[in-house]
Amino acid sequence: PVRLIKNPMALARERTATNRGYNWAGITLGDSQLRLWGIPHGRNDAWKSKVIDLVANRKRISAFELTDQNLHNYYLDARKFKPKFIYGYVSAVNEFAHFIVRHNLAPIESLKCIVTTSEVLTDADRSNIEGAFKVKVYNEYGCGEVGSIAHECENGSLHIVSDNLIVETDSRKGEAGELIVTDLFNKVTPLIRYRIGDYGTLSEQKCDCGRTLPLLQSVHGRAYDLLLMPDGRQVHPESAIYVFEDLQKVDKFFSKFQVIQTSVDELVINVVPTSRYTKGVEKEIIENLKIQLHAGLNVKVNLVAAIEREA
């Protein structure tokens, strides 16, 4: 993972831009939120998240355990909590929507909108989510390094946060290219023409909503796929990533890792080890993946010199 420091003004502008985008969706700071997101594993992180969730008036539910029983409990919790909006990974919100449709459940009456993030939102995803929850979906696009990059307005256009960022591609406007961002306000860790690894298309068109912020026509990659477990559960791959992130908090045991699902009951892990890597770390990787995903998984770990990035 990339680690960087942000100064207070950069953080303030980032959060203000996010709230402005939420205002376009008819929600604002303090509105109750049902958040389909990660659940921190460590005790200190878990308590910190609970305090933040309490202050932010949001209820966090796991995006990783998407069984029918859990989804039923999430639905009951949501009816009781009465959120103004749902926020979360596209795949997790979409799976929740499929569950509601599959079981012919009534929409959550308190909802004003859905905000999706972190993954590519397809037309099919949008149609399924809006059909299940009976409210409009507003997409957001961003990354941890710079925060909000673009937010969707009521007309369906993704407006770039150009008062905080310069967004370019390595291609002509109207053509897909790698997105390149420059953060105008983080002076502690300046990011200048930073390639974030996503591909998108910029547009020179103007939106009928009247806002003059430039448009991001579409984002093409990278969409996460759900992992399919031997018992039929679908698990978000971030659940596997957390295992490696928790180990990296202890020490720098490896520089890169890759998780490949080769069959419904097998994972192959490629690790680029550092000098601190031991057999004990390997044992922890295997055990923790089985705890987080499924006890019956066959987990193979390969130590490799390098991991090539995919196209």
Side-chain angles (χ1 to χ4, degrees), residues 239-287:
S239 194
I241 291 172
Y242 279 178
V243 169
F244 294 89
E245 288 183 341
D246 285 349
L247 282 169
Q248 288 290 71
K249 290 177 183 177
V250 178
D251 208 339
K252 306 303 181 191
F253 298 119
F254 42 83
S255 59
K256 289 184 180 181
F257 69 90
Q258 181 183 45
V259 180
I260 303 170
Q261 182 169 26
T262 54
S263 69
V264 73
D265 58 0
E266 182 176 89
L267 294 180
V268 173
I269 315 298
N270 293 325
V271 174
V272 180
T274 67
S275 59
R276 298 183 181 276
Y277 187 88
T278 64
K279 277 292 183 183
V281 173
E282 184 168 308
K283 184 180 178 183
E284 281 197 60
I285 290 173
I286 294 171
E287 289 179 350

Side-chain angles (χ1 to χ4, degrees), residues 83-132:
K84 292 285 182 66
F85 69 106
I86 292 176
Y87 178 89
Y89 301 117
V90 173
S91 56
V93 177
N94 198 30
E95 189 67 22
F96 196 9
H98 277 301
F99 174 82
I100 287 173
V101 171
R102 194 163 62 243
H103 293 274
N104 197 29
L105 299 174
I108 300 166
E109 295 176 356
S110 59
L111 285 178
K112 297 174 71 174
C113 68
I114 309 284
V115 179
T116 55
T117 188
S118 292
E119 300 163 337
V120 173
L121 177 71
T122 66
D123 290 341
D125 294 335
R126 186 189 294 274
S127 177
N128 180 58
I129 294 168
E130 291 183 345

Side-chain angles (χ1 to χ4, degrees), residues 168-171 176-180 195-200:
E168 310 166 81
T169 66
D170 57 5
S171 64
E178 186 172 0
L179 292 167
I180 304 167
R195 293 177 180 265
I196 58 178
D198 285 344
Y199 287 78

